[in-house]
Amino acid sequence: MTIVEHLEELRRVLIISSIAWIATTVAAFVFHGAIIDFLLRPLTTVLGKTNNHITSTAVFTSPTEGLTIPIKISMIVGVVGALPVVLWQAWGFLSPGLRPVERKFVGPFIASALLLFAAGAAFAYFVMPIGLNFLATFLGGSAVYLPDINAYLSFLLLLILAFGVTFELPVVIVLLGILGIVSSRLLRRKRKGIWVGIIIGALLVTPGADPYTPTALFVPLIAFFEASILILDKVFKR
């Protein structure tokens, strides 16, 4: 293919991906009530346990937030919903330029990355009430927690992103091992330092100041790190 033909193909990929994103965004906006209720569930669970008599859910203080928040959430959900189409289009565009051995590895890597990100996001969602309960009740009777929906959703999405991205650790380690940058022997020798780095990283990327959320992050990351060493052993033996 010529450069112009490559650009035409790229244009087609971008158009199809954009159409998929718009379609899933519109669908998400139609059901934005159920989506927001699902995202608010960790908060409402905490408010129910703390006997907050002012409100049992989040509040908004700006008149425009009643519309802008559903739009923003729908756009984010639209990105997630359109991801299979986007990946399919990207694979169709890139696969002709890959060697057979590279194609053999790309599929498992993409599948593993998606599954690990989804696992991290789900884990963050279920861990959220623990850290939120600590933060909301830390002042005791001195003040009452009045949750702003925009601040809460931003906090939740940041937590989901932090867990989802850091759960990609095994994929990154195995990829670096295949490229010859690291080895299982090197990782074992540097194990203590890497453990400390994982703990410090978990403390830095988690948005809350509670001790539970970073703990819930670095424990599985350390387990992932140890599993990655075993995977590298099998890869190199093969």
Side-chain angles (χ1 to χ4, degrees):
M1 295 177 64
T2 64
I3 294 178
V4 174
E5 289 173 332
H6 276 297
L7 292 176
E8 286 293 332
E9 181 67 14
L10 179 60
R11 177 174 172 270
R12 185 189 65 82
V13 168
L14 294 175
I15 290 174
I16 294 176
S17 300
S18 299
I19 292 173
W21 173 65
I22 293 172
T24 50
T25 298
V26 171
F29 187 78
V30 172
F31 299 99
H32 73 268
I35 295 172
I36 291 177
D37 287 343
F38 175 77
L39 295 175
L40 289 176
R41 195 168 299 165
L43 175 66
T44 55
T45 301
V46 170
L47 294 178
K49 291 180 179 179
T50 55
N51 296 319
N52 190 319
H53 298 293
I54 295 180
T55 178
S56 59
T57 187
V59 300
F60 62 93
T61 56
S62 172
T64 59
E65 286 183 342
L67 178 62
T68 58
I69 289 175
I71 291 176
K72 287 192 294 185
I73 293 299
S74 299
M75 292 173 67
I76 295 172
V77 174
V79 171
V80 177
L83 193 58
V85 176
V86 174
L87 291 176
W88 174 55
Q89 290 297 315
W91 173 250
F93 180 74
L94 296 173
S95 59
L98 299 177
R99 294 177 298 172
V101 67
E102 293 170 336
R103 295 182 190 178
K104 180 181 177 181
F105 279 106
V106 168
F109 268 107
I110 292 178
S112 301
L114 291 176
L115 288 174
L116 286 170
F117 188 91
F123 193 63
Y125 178 82
F126 290 108
V127 167
M128 174 77 168
I130 301 175
L132 188 61
N133 183 67
F134 174 85
L135 296 172
T137 58
F138 188 76
L139 289 176
S142 302
V144 176
Y145 174 49
L146 189 63
D148 176 76
I149 187 171
N150 196 23
Y152 165 77
L153 291 176
S154 298
F155 181 84
L156 176 61
L157 293 176
L158 182 59
L159 191 67
I160 288 174
L161 183 63
F163 272 73
V165 171
T166 52
F167 267 47
E168 302 292 338
L169 179 65
V171 175
V172 174
I173 291 177
V174 173
L175 180 60
L176 292 176
I178 292 176
L179 294 175
I181 298 175
V182 300
S183 65
S184 56
R185 182 180 302 176
L186 174 65
L187 294 177
R188 285 192 177 94
R189 192 166 65 246
K190 304 290 185 178
R191 174 181 278 127
K192 292 182 180 180
I194 294 175
W195 277 33
V196 173
I198 290 175
I199 294 172
I200 294 174
L203 292 170
L204 292 176
V205 301
T206 47
D210 63 286
Y212 305 106
T213 304
T215 303
L217 180 58
F218 73 69
V219 169
L221 287 183
I222 289 175
F224 284 154
F225 169 74
E226 296 297 329
S228 301
I229 295 177
L230 299 178
I231 294 173
L232 282 181
D233 285 336
K234 292 185 178 180
V235 168
F236 285 120
K237 283 180 181 179
R238 184 178 301 177

